[in-house]
Amino acid sequence: MNKQVLNATEAVKDIPDGATIMFGGFGLCGIPENCIAALVKQGTKGLTCISNNAGVDDFGIGLMLQQKQVKKMISSYVGENAEFERQLLSGELEVELIPQGTLATRCMAAGYGMPAIYTPAGVGTEVAAGKEVRNFDGKDYLMEYAFDADFAIVKAWKGDTDGNLVYKATARNFNPLMAMAGKITIAEVEELVPAGTLDPDMIHTPGIYIHRIFQGEKYEKRIEQRTVQKKA
Amino acid sequence: MALTKEQIAQRIAKELRDGYYVNLGIGIPTLVANYIPAGINVVLQSENGLLGMGPFPEEGQEDPDLINAGKQTITTVPGSVFFDSALSFGMIRAGKVDLTVLGAMEVSDQGDIANWKIPGKMVKGMGGAMDLVASAKNIIVAMMHSNPKGESKLLPACTLPLTGVRCVKKIVSDLAVLDVTPEGFKLLERAPGVTVEEIKAKTAGKLIIEGEIPEMVFN
C-alpha cells in the first residue's frame, strides 16, 4: 500500500487551524524538522501540540511558538524556551504538564486501542486533581485517558513506501508511540526505500499506522547540550 | 567539613551493588557515574530510551541522535539497547530498575519528595520525576541539607508541591547519610568533621539518633 507523498508541504497541507497534533522527539532529538518548517510556512494556527518538550527559541516547536501558531502545549518539560515562558506568563499560551511516562503511555494506549491506563505517577500530587483513583493490591493508581489526536507527525531514520519505519538510537523516544496514536500519521524519514527492502524483523513501526511518508531534506539535527570529553 | 557535590556522588556510589540497573537524575546524581567502585558492574538507564549509557563522547564524536535525559550528548557501552519512551517507563513502573538517584528541593520525614515546582516561579515541568518516584523500589536523594537561604530541606512535611509521597528511602546530603524510616530520618553517618549537633540543628523533620554516629568513609 503506497503511502508516499511528495514532500512536507503536501504532507501537512490539509491540517486545519485548531487541530490537535502530536510531535515526536525528545528535546531536539528525533523531531520532524521538515513538517515543522512546512507548518510554519503554511501558518496553521490555534494548534494544540502534544510533545514531550516545546523546542528552543529558534528550533523545533519554538519556531511555531514564534509565529504564535500554538494555543496549547501538552508536555512533560518545557524549560528551554524563553518565548514559551513569555507567552505562558502573558496568558497567550495554555500549558498542561504531564508526567513523562504518563505522556508516553497515553500515546501507547491510543495506538493499542485502549481507552485508558492506570499509573501510580502523580498519586498524592496536584496531577491527581479530579482524576479517578483506583487501588490495586494496596497501591493507588490514577486513571489516565488515551490521547485523541487529529494528526501525529513523527521522524524516523529509514522508512519504506508502505510506511514501515526504523528509528535510530535515542531519536526513537516518543516517535513510535505517537506514530500509532494519530488519526492521521505523517512520517518523515532520512532515507525512503522501496517497499520490501527493509528486513521485516527490524521494523519498529508497522506501516499500517502510517498514512503519509516522505523523505525529508536538509536535516540540521541540532544538539541541545553538547557535552564532550577531551581525547585521551 | 560539609561534602562537595562530588563527594556526595562518591558516597552514593558506595550504595551501588553488582548487577544493579540504575537511573541517575540530572545534577549531582549524574556525577555518581564517575565513582562506580571497581569490580561493580552496573547498567545505567536513561529514561529517554537507553540501557547501557556510557560517558560523554570524545570531541568530534558527538551524535545528535544519541543523548541522555538531560539532552546531553553521550555514548553507549557494549551490550546497550535502545527502546521507546513507553517501554522505558514500563520497565521503571514494573520495578525492574534497582536504584533511582535524584535531587530534591524538600524531603519530608515520611519520605515525601518535592522537586519540580516552586509556586510563583516559571514551572518547567516534572519530566519523568513523578513516574520514577512513584515506582522505583529504592530511591536515594542527593541534595544539600539546607537551601541557599539556610533553611532545612529535611522537613516534617513538604511545603512545595509534591512530586511523590512516601517514596524516598535514603538521603545523602552534604552533612549526613540518613535512612527514611516510618519513625522519621534515621541518622546513619556524618560528613567528616560535621557534628551530630550541627546535623540536629539543620534537620527540621523528626531525627532519630541512636548510639555513636560514625563519620563517612571514602576510599
Coordinates of all heavy atoms in Angstrom, one line a residue, chain A residues 89-119:
Chain A
L89 N 3.3 33.3 30.6 CA 3.1 34.3 31.6 C 2.1 35.4 31.2 O 1.4 35.9 32.0 CB 4.4 35.0 32.0 CG 5.4 34.0 32.7 CD1 6.7 34.6 33.0 CD2 4.8 33.4 34.0
S90 N 2.0 35.7 29.9 CA 1.1 36.7 29.4 C -0.3 36.1 29.1 O -1.2 36.9 28.8 CB 1.7 37.3 28.1 OG 1.6 36.4 27.0
G91 N -0.4 34.8 29.3 CA -1.7 34.2 29.1 C -2.1 33.9 27.7 O -3.2 33.4 27.4
E92 N -1.1 34.1 26.7 CA -1.4 33.8 25.3 C -1.4 32.3 25.1 O -2.0 31.8 24.1 CB -0.3 34.4 24.4 CG -0.3 35.9 24.3 CD 1.0 36.4 23.8 OE1 1.3 36.1 22.6 OE2 1.7 37.1 24.5
L93 N -0.7 31.6 25.9 CA -0.5 30.2 25.7 C -0.9 29.4 26.9 O -0.7 29.8 28.0 CB 1.0 29.9 25.5 CG 1.5 28.5 25.2 CD1 1.1 28.0 23.9 CD2 3.0 28.5 25.3
E94 N -1.6 28.3 26.6 CA -2.0 27.4 27.7 C -1.1 26.2 27.8 O -0.6 25.8 26.7 CB -3.4 26.9 27.3 CG -4.3 26.4 28.4 CD -5.6 25.8 27.9 OE1 -6.1 26.4 26.9 OE2 -6.1 24.9 28.4
V95 N -0.8 25.7 29.0 CA 0.1 24.6 29.1 C -0.5 23.5 30.0 O -1.0 23.9 31.1 CB 1.5 25.0 29.5 CG1 1.6 25.6 30.8 CG2 2.5 23.8 29.4
E96 N -0.4 22.3 29.7 CA -0.8 21.2 30.5 C 0.5 20.3 30.7 O 1.0 19.8 29.7 CB -1.9 20.4 29.9 CG -2.4 19.3 30.8 CD -3.6 18.5 30.2 OE1 -4.2 19.0 29.2 OE2 -3.9 17.4 30.6
L97 N 0.9 20.2 32.0 CA 2.1 19.4 32.2 C 1.7 18.0 32.7 O 0.9 17.9 33.6 CB 3.0 20.1 33.3 CG 3.6 21.4 32.8 CD1 4.2 22.2 33.9 CD2 4.7 21.2 31.7
I98 N 2.4 17.0 32.1 CA 2.0 15.6 32.4 C 3.3 14.8 32.6 O 4.3 15.1 32.0 CB 1.3 15.1 31.1 CG1 0.0 15.7 30.9 CG2 1.2 13.6 31.2 CD1 -0.7 15.2 29.6
P99 N 3.3 13.9 33.6 CA 4.5 13.1 33.8 C 4.9 12.4 32.5 O 4.0 11.9 31.8 CB 4.0 12.1 34.9 CG 2.9 12.8 35.7 CD 2.2 13.6 34.6
Q100 N 6.2 12.3 32.3 CA 6.7 11.8 31.0 C 6.2 10.4 30.7 O 5.9 10.1 29.6 CB 8.2 11.9 31.1 CG 8.8 11.8 29.7 CD 10.3 12.0 29.8 OE1 11.1 11.1 29.3 NE2 10.8 13.1 30.4
G101 N 6.2 9.5 31.7 CA 5.8 8.2 31.5 C 4.3 8.1 31.2 O 3.8 7.3 30.4
T102 N 3.5 9.0 31.8 CA 2.1 9.1 31.5 C 1.9 9.6 30.1 O 1.0 9.0 29.4 CB 1.4 10.0 32.6 OG1 1.7 9.5 33.9 CG2 -0.1 10.1 32.3
L103 N 2.6 10.6 29.7 CA 2.5 11.1 28.3 C 2.8 10.0 27.3 O 2.0 9.8 26.4 CB 3.5 12.2 28.2 CG 3.5 13.0 26.9 CD1 2.3 14.0 26.8 CD2 4.8 13.8 26.7
A104 N 3.8 9.2 27.5 CA 4.2 8.2 26.6 C 3.1 7.1 26.6 O 2.7 6.6 25.5 CB 5.6 7.6 27.0
T105 N 2.6 6.7 27.8 CA 1.7 5.6 27.8 C 0.3 6.0 27.4 O -0.4 5.1 26.8 CB 1.7 5.1 29.3 OG1 3.1 4.9 29.7 CG2 1.0 3.7 29.3
R106 N 0.0 7.3 27.5 CA -1.3 7.7 26.9 C -1.3 7.7 25.4 O -2.3 7.4 24.7 CB -1.7 9.1 27.4 CG -2.1 9.1 28.9 CD -2.3 10.6 29.4 NE -3.5 11.1 28.7 CZ -3.9 12.4 28.8 NH1 -3.1 13.2 29.6 NH2 -4.9 12.9 28.2
C107 N -0.1 7.9 24.8 CA 0.1 7.7 23.4 C -0.1 6.2 23.0 O -0.8 5.9 22.1 CB 1.4 8.2 22.9 SG 1.7 10.0 23.1
M108 N 0.7 5.4 23.8 CA 0.7 4.0 23.5 C -0.8 3.4 23.6 O -1.2 2.7 22.7 CB 1.5 3.3 24.6 CG 1.8 1.8 24.3 SD 2.4 1.0 25.8 CE 0.8 0.7 26.6
A109 N -1.5 3.9 24.6 CA -2.9 3.3 24.8 C -3.7 3.6 23.5 O -4.5 2.8 23.1 CB -3.5 4.0 26.0
A110 N -3.6 4.9 23.0 CA -4.3 5.2 21.8 C -4.0 4.3 20.6 O -4.8 3.8 19.9 CB -4.0 6.7 21.4
G111 N -2.7 4.0 20.5 CA -2.2 3.1 19.4 C -2.6 1.6 19.6 O -2.6 0.8 18.7
Y112 N -2.9 1.3 20.9 CA -3.2 -0.1 21.2 C -4.8 -0.3 21.3 O -5.3 -1.3 21.7 CB -2.6 -0.5 22.6 CG -1.2 -1.0 22.5 CD1 -0.2 -0.3 21.8 CD2 -0.8 -2.3 23.0 CE1 1.1 -0.7 21.8 CE2 0.5 -2.7 22.9 CZ 1.4 -1.9 22.3 OH 2.7 -2.4 22.2
G113 N -5.5 0.8 21.1 CA -6.9 0.7 21.1 C -7.5 0.6 22.5 O -8.6 0.0 22.7
M114 N -6.8 1.1 23.5 CA -7.3 1.1 24.9 C -7.7 2.5 25.3 O -6.9 3.4 25.1 CB -6.2 0.5 25.8 CG -5.8 -0.9 25.4 SD -4.6 -1.7 26.5 CE -3.3 -0.5 26.5
P115 N -8.9 2.6 25.9 CA -9.3 4.0 26.3 C -8.6 4.7 27.4 O -8.6 5.9 27.5 CB -10.8 3.8 26.7 CG -10.9 2.4 27.1 CD -9.8 1.6 26.3
A116 N -8.0 3.9 28.3 CA -7.3 4.5 29.5 C -6.3 3.5 30.0 O -6.2 2.4 29.7 CB -8.4 4.8 30.5
I117 N -5.5 4.1 30.9 CA -4.5 3.3 31.6 C -4.5 3.7 33.1 O -5.1 4.7 33.5 CB -3.0 3.6 31.1 CG1 -2.7 5.1 31.1 CG2 -2.9 3.1 29.6 CD1 -1.3 5.5 31.5
Y118 N -3.9 2.8 33.9 CA -3.7 3.2 35.3 C -2.2 3.3 35.6 O -1.5 2.4 35.3 CB -4.3 2.1 36.2 CG -5.8 2.1 36.2 CD1 -6.6 1.3 35.4 CD2 -6.5 3.0 37.1 CE1 -8.0 1.3 35.4 CE2 -7.9 3.1 37.1 CZ -8.6 2.2 36.3 OH -10.0 2.3 36.3
T119 N -1.8 4.4 36.2 CA -0.4 4.6 36.6 C -0.3 5.2 38.0 O -1.1 6.0 38.4 CB 0.3 5.5 35.5 OG1 1.6 5.8 36.0 CG2 -0.4 6.9 35.4

